[in-house]
Each structure stands twice: as C-alpha cells, then as structure tokens.
Amino acid sequence: MKILVVGSGGREHALAWKLKKSPRAPKIFCAPGNAGLAKIATCVSIPAEDIAGLLNFARSSRIDLTVVGPEAPLTQGIVDAFMAAGLDIFGPLASGAAIEGSKVLAKEIMAKYNIPTASYAVFNEPVKAQKYILSSSAPWVVKADGLAAGKGVIVCHTEEQALQAVQTILVDKAFGEAGEQIVIEEYLTGEEASILAFTDGEEVIPMLAAQDHKPAYDNDTGPNTGGMGAYAPAPVCTPEIFQEVKEKILLPTVQALAGEGRPYRGVLYAGLMITARGPMVLEYNVRFGDPEAQPLLMLLKTDLLDIIEAVLTKRLAQINIRWFDGAAITVVLASGGYPGAYQKGKIITGLEQAPEGIEVFHAGTAFKNSHLVTAGGRVLGVTAAAENIALAISKVYAGIKPIHFEGMHYRRDIGRRAILPKT
Ligand code: AMP
Ligand code: GLY
C-alpha cells in the first residue's frame, strides 16, 4: 500500500511516523517533506498547495491513499480534486474546509446552530468598525476573516489597539484578501484547550483533549506563534467538559455543516476557551493541529490507517479508538527570531543522542552539504510520552539537552499548567 502525506511540518512527520507503524506496513511518500521525513518516507518536491502537481504524482505513482496535513490545500479543494479523479484522500471537501478558511462563515454557522462561542459583529467598512469600537467597551478580539498563518487574530485591551487593528486589517490590508472582512469578538476568559475529533460526517469520535502554547515565550508572553508546544491529555477538560464539548460543539458542528450542504469528514479541530459559562469555540481548524498532532499521535494506540479507512467508508461508528495511558508532550525548538524574521541554514547537532522513548519530529529542517540544517521557524518538535505528565515533562526536557543549533529557543514551561495547582 502506498500513502502520500501532504505537508512539511512536525504534524506531517508525526502522521507519517504513525502511519508507518501500521501492521500493513505501507510505503510512505511525502510532498514536500523535510529532512526528518526523508528518513522514513520518500520525499517528492511538490509544494503542498500544488494540487494539480500532487494529483499527477498520485496518479502516476499509484498512490492508494493521500493524507493532507495543512489547511491551505484543503480550503483550495485538494479533496474535491482527488475525489473527482477517483482517488482516496483523507480530509474535508473545500465546502467544509471553509469553516477554517472563513471566520465569518464559522461564526454564522455557530450562531445559526446555537454552538457556544463569543458574541460578535462582522464588518467590511472601516468606519463602521471604528464606530462599533467607540460605542462598545474593551477588550475586543479583532480577527481577519481568512487564513493569515495564525497572525490574523489581534487581542485588543485598549480602544487605540482596536482601532489600530481595524486599520491594519481593513485599511492597510496587512493580510491581503484574508482581511476584506473582519470579525470583532467578545473577549473570553478562561483556560484554552483543543479537542480534535475524527468524523465520517455522522459519527464523531473526539481524541484526547490537548493544550497548545501559542505565545513565543514562557508564562505566555511574547508574540503569538503557530504553537511552541503541546501536551495531552489536558486536565482542564474534565470528563464533564469533554462530554459537553462532544455534545454541544463537535456533534452539532458536523450536523450543522451537513445541514448547510457542506458534508464534512476528516479531522475537526475545535479551539476552545473553557469559560465559567462552559466551553466555547474560539476557532475551528479542519485538520490536525501542529504541534497537537505530535503528542496525540504518540498516544494513539489504534492503527491510524484503520481509523482513516473507517472515515472514508463511513464506518467510524464501528471502530473502537484506543489510547495509551499516561501523557505525551511536545516542545518546539525554534529558530532565533521566530516568529519574526529568522535565519536558516544553521547546523543542527545532538540528535543522534536522543534518549530512548523520545521522538524528535522535524518541522523546518533540510540537508545541506550532508549536514542537517534549519530551514524554518519551528525546527524540531521533541516529543516524549510517560506514565504521567510530570514524568513526560522531565523526559522531554532531558531529551532536549543534547540538541543544539545557533539561536535555538524554546519554552521551558510547556505542560506546566497541567501540574500546577489552580490559581
Ligand atoms: P484563533 O486563531 O481564533 O484561535 O485565535 C488565536 C488566539 O487568540 C487564541 O488561541 C486565543 O488565545 C486568542 N483568542 C481568540 N479569540 C478570542 C476570544 N474571543 N477571547 C479571548 N481570546 C481569544
Ligand atoms: N496549533 C494550532 C494549530 O494547529 O492551528
């Protein structure tokens, strides 16, 4: 069996790593991949957004199944194109993927189907947005409608910041077309968590609750990133909250999408704020999270290939998804300067010494003159699993010790929230 994994990050490395463990011993291809993926898969240099190129490759190489990592090809219709060509592919059609591609659409669906989320207003005219801000009170969250690589969300604690956010998105068009509309949202307080679920369009099976760490520096300070680390399970999602998320958010979302003529299958990711009023949706993603995929796939006991096939054949209800006990954690090692400008090509050392039980998933890495070098902002995702989160934390940080590249930075507090007493 031949599987093509589309993408080049830590998430895709973890997907390929887990798929390769299938008893069916599939041969894995990856487009475009990275230096870590090249060790376990055949990497082909087709960009993740070159849908025609990927389709050609899948056809000519007789790929049996394609698994898509990132959102961009999904929102651009990679699943539609592969299905039209009669090829098996895991992920939602563009019509469903639009709930990540358009925050306005996501909010409208949540409002229509009573899915708990922050109250909001939509604007495309700067003057109206400014008036709204001046007539309401801080804080606000201003969001560009479209995909903006995680940078289109601006939390504003003052009127000045909110007016500036409107200026940046609607007037200066800092995010281009993604900023033709904005959502101005009520600011929610609580602890964040992500619950991802497998769905075949009817059945919804949530994975373990995970927690991402988006700010660049310790104690949630500094600019937002794609995610500096994650762990699972997240104790903030008690069994009661978990059940509530399934019944009031995940299932209704899949049903709402079907009701809107957007049948959904694949992974549905709910980014949540666990508020005093209960869990509320901050955002939807239409794919595995990165880095959440790394600890989640490390803990997944069931063969991922079996789950994917059950989704594609609408037999998800018949499958029992099992998880290893304990906890897993990923700490991202980033390039100096990330999430701002950073240099590439720094030599990475110390990976050969990674202790037993640690997986180092590659994100921005490449080979240059037979050296492993940095090639992106997020470089490596050091991942460990253990009987509990405290042990997993010690294990992962011990695993990072030997690893080095010039300018490397990482958070020292990933997972700490899971072990600290509540404040
Ligand atoms: P998003 O990409 O929509 O998940 O937003 C990125 C980050 O902005 C989230 O992880 C939250 O930390 C923050 N955020 C988004 N929406 C809200 C909200 N309504 N209230 C408070 N914080 C928010
Ligand atoms: N870690 C957040 C995301 O994948 O969008």
Side-chain angles (χ1 to χ4, degrees), residues 103 118 141 143 153 155 185-188 192 214 224 273 282-283:
K103 292 196 190 282
V141 185
K143 301 184 173 185
V153 174
V155 176
E185 233 178 60
E186 165 199 10
Y187 176 81
L188 299 175
E192 286 183 52
K214 282 186 180 150
N224 257 349
M273 186 71 87
L282 294 178
E283 64 161 349

PDB file of all heavy atoms in Angstrom, residues 103 118 141 143 153 155 185-188 192 214 224 273 282-283, ligand 1:
ATOM      1  N   LYS A 103     -13.591  32.949   8.971  1.00  0.00           N
ATOM      2  CA  LYS A 103     -14.061  33.063  10.351  1.00  0.00           C
ATOM      3  C   LYS A 103     -15.489  33.609  10.372  1.00  0.00           C
ATOM      4  O   LYS A 103     -16.260  33.302  11.280  1.00  0.00           O
ATOM      5  CB  LYS A 103     -13.124  33.954  11.158  1.00  0.00           C
ATOM      6  CG  LYS A 103     -11.751  33.301  11.364  1.00  0.00           C
ATOM      7  CD  LYS A 103     -10.954  33.952  12.461  1.00  0.00           C
ATOM      8  CE  LYS A 103      -9.522  33.468  12.516  1.00  0.00           C
ATOM      9  NZ  LYS A 103      -9.331  32.160  13.145  1.00  0.00           N
ATOM     10  N   ALA A 118     -18.056  33.174  21.361  1.00  0.00           N
ATOM     11  CA  ALA A 118     -18.121  34.579  21.780  1.00  0.00           C
ATOM     12  C   ALA A 118     -19.102  35.343  20.888  1.00  0.00           C
ATOM     13  O   ALA A 118     -19.201  35.052  19.687  1.00  0.00           O
ATOM     14  CB  ALA A 118     -16.731  35.200  21.656  1.00  0.00           C
ATOM     15  N   VAL A 141     -11.567  41.326  20.505  1.00  0.00           N
ATOM     16  CA  VAL A 141     -10.661  40.496  19.700  1.00  0.00           C
ATOM     17  C   VAL A 141     -11.029  40.759  18.247  1.00  0.00           C
ATOM     18  O   VAL A 141     -12.175  40.560  17.845  1.00  0.00           O
ATOM     19  CB  VAL A 141     -10.802  38.999  20.042  1.00  0.00           C
ATOM     20  CG1 VAL A 141      -9.765  38.186  19.276  1.00  0.00           C
ATOM     21  CG2 VAL A 141     -10.641  38.779  21.544  1.00  0.00           C
ATOM     22  N   LYS A 143     -10.443  39.941  14.334  1.00  0.00           N
ATOM     23  CA  LYS A 143      -9.945  38.808  13.545  1.00  0.00           C
ATOM     24  C   LYS A 143     -10.144  39.043  12.057  1.00  0.00           C
ATOM     25  O   LYS A 143     -11.253  39.376  11.620  1.00  0.00           O
ATOM     26  CB  LYS A 143     -10.703  37.522  13.921  1.00  0.00           C
ATOM     27  CG  LYS A 143     -10.584  37.138  15.385  1.00  0.00           C
ATOM     28  CD  LYS A 143     -11.270  35.808  15.690  1.00  0.00           C
ATOM     29  CE  LYS A 143     -10.979  35.389  17.132  1.00  0.00           C
ATOM     30  NZ  LYS A 143     -11.507  34.062  17.455  1.00  0.00           N
ATOM     31  N   VAL A 153      -5.315  37.284  14.199  1.00  0.00           N
ATOM     32  CA  VAL A 153      -6.137  37.496  15.394  1.00  0.00           C
ATOM     33  C   VAL A 153      -5.426  38.482  16.307  1.00  0.00           C
ATOM     34  O   VAL A 153      -4.287  38.250  16.701  1.00  0.00           O
ATOM     35  CB  VAL A 153      -6.370  36.160  16.134  1.00  0.00           C
ATOM     36  CG1 VAL A 153      -7.105  36.392  17.453  1.00  0.00           C
ATOM     37  CG2 VAL A 153      -7.161  35.197  15.253  1.00  0.00           C
ATOM     38  N   VAL A 155      -5.720  40.542  19.825  1.00  0.00           N
ATOM     39  CA  VAL A 155      -6.427  40.774  21.087  1.00  0.00           C
ATOM     40  C   VAL A 155      -6.141  42.211  21.500  1.00  0.00           C
ATOM     41  O   VAL A 155      -4.985  42.624  21.576  1.00  0.00           O
ATOM     42  CB  VAL A 155      -5.943  39.776  22.169  1.00  0.00           C
ATOM     43  CG1 VAL A 155      -6.604  40.071  23.518  1.00  0.00           C
ATOM     44  CG2 VAL A 155      -6.237  38.332  21.740  1.00  0.00           C
ATOM     45  N   GLU A 185     -14.900  40.406  18.130  1.00  0.00           N
ATOM     46  CA  GLU A 185     -15.485  39.426  19.040  1.00  0.00           C
ATOM     47  C   GLU A 185     -15.379  39.843  20.491  1.00  0.00           C
ATOM     48  O   GLU A 185     -14.426  40.533  20.878  1.00  0.00           O
ATOM     49  CB  GLU A 185     -14.657  38.139  18.888  1.00  0.00           C
ATOM     50  CG  GLU A 185     -15.462  36.933  18.594  1.00  0.00           C
ATOM     51  CD  GLU A 185     -14.574  35.712  18.399  1.00  0.00           C
ATOM     52  OE1 GLU A 185     -13.834  35.346  19.335  1.00  0.00           O
ATOM     53  OE2 GLU A 185     -14.646  35.139  17.315  1.00  0.00           O
ATOM     54  N   GLU A 186     -16.299  39.357  21.256  1.00  0.00           N
ATOM     55  CA  GLU A 186     -16.243  39.477  22.717  1.00  0.00           C
ATOM     56  C   GLU A 186     -14.983  38.743  23.198  1.00  0.00           C
ATOM     57  O   GLU A 186     -14.640  37.681  22.687  1.00  0.00           O
ATOM     58  CB  GLU A 186     -17.502  38.788  23.264  1.00  0.00           C
ATOM     59  CG  GLU A 186     -17.516  38.467  24.717  1.00  0.00           C
ATOM     60  CD  GLU A 186     -18.564  37.385  25.057  1.00  0.00           C
ATOM     61  OE1 GLU A 186     -19.139  36.760  24.135  1.00  0.00           O
ATOM     62  OE2 GLU A 186     -18.794  37.171  26.241  1.00  0.00           O
ATOM     63  N   TYR A 187     -14.310  39.320  24.177  1.00  0.00           N
ATOM     64  CA  TYR A 187     -13.099  38.702  24.725  1.00  0.00           C
ATOM     65  C   TYR A 187     -13.507  37.703  25.807  1.00  0.00           C
ATOM     66  O   TYR A 187     -14.231  38.053  26.749  1.00  0.00           O
ATOM     67  CB  TYR A 187     -12.219  39.811  25.322  1.00  0.00           C
ATOM     68  CG  TYR A 187     -10.981  39.325  26.005  1.00  0.00           C
ATOM     69  CD1 TYR A 187      -9.845  39.003  25.273  1.00  0.00           C
ATOM     70  CD2 TYR A 187     -10.932  39.217  27.399  1.00  0.00           C
ATOM     71  CE1 TYR A 187      -8.690  38.567  25.906  1.00  0.00           C
ATOM     72  CE2 TYR A 187      -9.776  38.780  28.043  1.00  0.00           C
ATOM     73  CZ  TYR A 187      -8.666  38.465  27.284  1.00  0.00           C
ATOM     74  OH  TYR A 187      -7.525  38.034  27.911  1.00  0.00           O
ATOM     75  N   LEU A 188     -13.080  36.475  25.644  1.00  0.00           N
ATOM     76  CA  LEU A 188     -13.451  35.441  26.612  1.00  0.00           C
ATOM     77  C   LEU A 188     -12.288  35.174  27.554  1.00  0.00           C
ATOM     78  O   LEU A 188     -11.125  35.240  27.143  1.00  0.00           O
ATOM     79  CB  LEU A 188     -13.784  34.134  25.883  1.00  0.00           C
ATOM     80  CG  LEU A 188     -14.957  34.170  24.902  1.00  0.00           C
ATOM     81  CD1 LEU A 188     -15.075  32.837  24.162  1.00  0.00           C
ATOM     82  CD2 LEU A 188     -16.262  34.482  25.634  1.00  0.00           C
ATOM     83  N   GLU A 192      -7.444  27.794  27.757  1.00  0.00           N
ATOM     84  CA  GLU A 192      -7.661  27.271  26.402  1.00  0.00           C
ATOM     85  C   GLU A 192      -7.351  25.782  26.328  1.00  0.00           C
ATOM     86  O   GLU A 192      -6.505  25.271  27.053  1.00  0.00           O
ATOM     87  CB  GLU A 192      -6.762  28.019  25.413  1.00  0.00           C
ATOM     88  CG  GLU A 192      -7.255  29.415  25.140  1.00  0.00           C
ATOM     89  CD  GLU A 192      -6.410  30.134  24.092  1.00  0.00           C
ATOM     90  OE1 GLU A 192      -6.207  29.574  23.003  1.00  0.00           O
ATOM     91  OE2 GLU A 192      -5.966  31.255  24.393  1.00  0.00           O
ATOM     92  N   LYS A 214       0.604  28.966  22.449  1.00  0.00           N
ATOM     93  CA  LYS A 214       0.849  29.811  21.267  1.00  0.00           C
ATOM     94  C   LYS A 214       1.870  30.930  21.464  1.00  0.00           C
ATOM     95  O   LYS A 214       2.662  31.189  20.576  1.00  0.00           O
ATOM     96  CB  LYS A 214      -0.472  30.366  20.732  1.00  0.00           C
ATOM     97  CG  LYS A 214      -1.226  29.307  19.926  1.00  0.00           C
ATOM     98  CD  LYS A 214      -2.463  29.852  19.258  1.00  0.00           C
ATOM     99  CE  LYS A 214      -3.165  28.760  18.489  1.00  0.00           C
ATOM    100  NZ  LYS A 214      -4.603  28.932  18.409  1.00  0.00           N
ATOM    101  N   ASN A 224       2.436  35.846  19.310  1.00  0.00           N
ATOM    102  CA  ASN A 224       1.835  34.546  19.017  1.00  0.00           C
ATOM    103  C   ASN A 224       2.615  33.817  17.927  1.00  0.00           C
ATOM    104  O   ASN A 224       3.147  34.430  17.019  1.00  0.00           O
ATOM    105  CB  ASN A 224       0.391  34.723  18.563  1.00  0.00           C
ATOM    106  CG  ASN A 224      -0.580  34.372  19.675  1.00  0.00           C
ATOM    107  OD1 ASN A 224      -0.186  33.807  20.702  1.00  0.00           O
ATOM    108  ND2 ASN A 224      -1.842  34.696  19.474  1.00  0.00           N
ATOM    109  N   MET A 273     -12.168  27.895  24.516  1.00  0.00           N
ATOM    110  CA  MET A 273     -11.896  28.571  25.780  1.00  0.00           C
ATOM    111  C   MET A 273     -12.828  27.919  26.794  1.00  0.00           C
ATOM    112  O   MET A 273     -14.041  27.867  26.570  1.00  0.00           O
ATOM    113  CB  MET A 273     -12.192  30.071  25.661  1.00  0.00           C
ATOM    114  CG  MET A 273     -11.790  30.860  26.892  1.00  0.00           C
ATOM    115  SD  MET A 273      -9.987  30.994  27.048  1.00  0.00           S
ATOM    116  CE  MET A 273      -9.663  32.439  26.058  1.00  0.00           C
ATOM    117  N   LEU A 282     -13.323  29.075  20.058  1.00  0.00           N
ATOM    118  CA  LEU A 282     -12.532  30.231  19.601  1.00  0.00           C
ATOM    119  C   LEU A 282     -12.337  30.154  18.097  1.00  0.00           C
ATOM    120  O   LEU A 282     -12.328  31.154  17.406  1.00  0.00           O
ATOM    121  CB  LEU A 282     -11.154  30.245  20.263  1.00  0.00           C
ATOM    122  CG  LEU A 282     -11.082  30.469  21.767  1.00  0.00           C
ATOM    123  CD1 LEU A 282      -9.628  30.408  22.229  1.00  0.00           C
ATOM    124  CD2 LEU A 282     -11.691  31.816  22.124  1.00  0.00           C
ATOM    125  N   GLU A 283     -12.103  28.948  17.629  1.00  0.00           N
ATOM    126  CA  GLU A 283     -11.880  28.770  16.186  1.00  0.00           C
ATOM    127  C   GLU A 283     -12.052  27.303  15.838  1.00  0.00           C
ATOM    128  O   GLU A 283     -11.944  26.433  16.698  1.00  0.00           O
ATOM    129  CB  GLU A 283     -10.468  29.203  15.798  1.00  0.00           C
ATOM    130  CG  GLU A 283      -9.394  28.328  16.440  1.00  0.00           C
ATOM    131  CD  GLU A 283      -8.031  28.397  15.762  1.00  0.00           C
ATOM    132  OE1 GLU A 283      -7.927  28.948  14.659  1.00  0.00           O
ATOM    133  OE2 GLU A 283      -7.082  27.870  16.353  1.00  0.00           O
TER     134      GLU A 283
HETATM  135  P1  AMP B   1      -7.724  31.804  16.969  1.00  0.00           P
HETATM  136  O1  AMP B   1      -6.726  31.702  15.832  1.00  0.00           O
HETATM  137  O2  AMP B   1      -9.049  32.329  16.574  1.00  0.00           O
HETATM  138  O3  AMP B   1      -7.766  30.567  17.826  1.00  0.00           O
HETATM  139  O4  AMP B   1      -7.087  32.891  17.943  1.00  0.00           O
HETATM  140  C1  AMP B   1      -5.741  32.856  18.361  1.00  0.00           C
HETATM  141  C2  AMP B   1      -5.659  33.120  19.831  1.00  0.00           C
HETATM  142  O5  AMP B   1      -6.283  34.368  20.144  1.00  0.00           O
HETATM  143  C3  AMP B   1      -6.401  32.087  20.657  1.00  0.00           C
HETATM  144  O6  AMP B   1      -5.610  30.968  20.893  1.00  0.00           O
HETATM  145  C4  AMP B   1      -6.708  32.887  21.901  1.00  0.00           C
HETATM  146  O7  AMP B   1      -5.579  32.940  22.765  1.00  0.00           O
HETATM  147  C5  AMP B   1      -6.963  34.280  21.379  1.00  0.00           C
HETATM  148  N1  AMP B   1      -8.404  34.492  21.176  1.00  0.00           N
HETATM  149  C6  AMP B   1      -9.114  34.289  20.036  1.00  0.00           C
HETATM  150  N2  AMP B   1     -10.410  34.599  20.204  1.00  0.00           N
HETATM  151  C7  AMP B   1     -10.539  35.007  21.475  1.00  0.00           C
HETATM  152  C8  AMP B   1     -11.633  35.470  22.280  1.00  0.00           C
HETATM  153  N3  AMP B   1     -12.863  35.608  21.775  1.00  0.00           N
HETATM  154  N4  AMP B   1     -11.380  35.799  23.554  1.00  0.00           N
HETATM  155  C9  AMP B   1     -10.142  35.698  24.081  1.00  0.00           C
HETATM  156  N5  AMP B   1      -9.069  35.283  23.390  1.00  0.00           N
HETATM  157  C10 AMP B   1      -9.249  34.933  22.102  1.00  0.00           C
END
